[in-house]
Amino acid sequence: MSDDPDAIRANIESTRRELSGNVDALADKVTPSKIAHRQAEKVKSAFRSVTERVMGSADSPTHSAQTPGTSVGDGVADAGKAIIDKAEGNPLAVGLIAFGVGWLAASLIPASNKERAIAADVKEAAQPLLKEAGEAAKQVANDLKEPAQDAVSAVADTAKDAVGTVKDEATDSAHTVADEANEARHVLGENT
């Protein structure tokens, strides 16, 4: 350790800056809202990744239609080609497109009397199933409520423990720095 007061002050200030940065970083890392935000971002990222793998990452089909010097017809043709290129080799995307086209065609054709009667019968027969499904959903929600509350409580307890540890370490470090400063003053007092 140096006897130079300026070196000691610089050392103390450096230690104080490092400690402050560490305390801020730790506090940021253990804040429950930040933890929840990071977890939500991980889930969103994973969902985006799976969606892109299954559906393909489509470039905007409107981009080519908005390019200056091209006609609307060229833009539509390019958009169709882009969709076909993205769907090629992806059976799920092709199936979804076919399903959508079929649904559109079916919605344009009016239902017959026989189809309406069958739909009414199916709706009537499905009522008990809908009621059971609703009750099952309520039961699942009730079953998940307690574990979710326990998880929130555990995160809060962990955060409180971490904050207490950070405070204790900061206090210990502050005492160490103060003791070193007092020792340096004492040494300086003896040397003068």
Side-chain angles (χ1 to χ4, degrees):
M1 175 175 243
S2 172
D3 290 339
D4 181 24
D6 291 331
I8 294 172
R9 283 189 196 104
N11 187 16
I12 290 171
E13 187 59 34
S14 173
T15 304
R16 189 176 291 149
R17 275 193 304 269
E18 287 177 24
L19 184 61
S20 176
N22 290 343
V23 168
D24 290 344
L26 187 57
D28 185 55
K29 193 168 197 125
V30 299
T31 302
S33 63
K34 299 275 184 171
I35 292 170
H37 179 73
R38 283 192 301 271
Q39 293 300 326
E41 287 301 317
K42 284 181 186 176
V43 169
K44 286 178 186 176
S45 175
F47 182 72
R48 272 189 235 109
S49 174
V50 168
T51 301
E52 286 177 0
R53 261 188 273 140
V54 171
M55 300 302 289
S57 59
D59 297 326
S60 175
T62 59
H63 174 69
S64 60
Q66 296 171 350
T67 304
T70 61
S71 70
V72 174
D74 290 342
V76 170
D78 290 345
K81 183 178 180 326
I83 290 171
I84 290 170
D85 288 345
K86 291 298 178 181
E88 193 171 276
N90 191 344
L92 183 59
V94 173
L96 287 173
I97 291 170
F99 178 76
V101 170
W103 194 338
L104 178 64
S107 68
L108 295 176
I109 301 171
S112 68
N113 289 337
K114 182 74 171 171
E115 289 171 330
R116 285 189 202 121
I118 291 172
D121 291 343
V122 168
K123 184 176 179 182
E124 187 177 310
Q127 284 296 16
L129 295 175
L130 290 175
K131 185 177 179 181
E132 287 179 30
E135 290 173 2
K138 287 178 186 177
Q139 182 64 35
V140 167
N142 287 337
D143 291 346
L144 292 177
K145 188 182 291 185
E146 186 176 332
Q149 289 172 344
D150 291 344
V152 168
S153 176
V155 168
D157 291 343
T158 302
K160 286 178 187 175
D161 292 344
V163 168
T165 301
V166 168
K167 284 181 182 178
D168 292 343
E169 289 179 6
T171 302
D172 290 345
S173 296
H175 288 303
T176 302
V177 170
D179 291 344
E180 288 177 5
N182 286 334
E183 183 180 314
R185 281 192 207 117
H186 181 68
V187 169
L188 288 175
E190 290 178 1
N191 288 343
T192 55

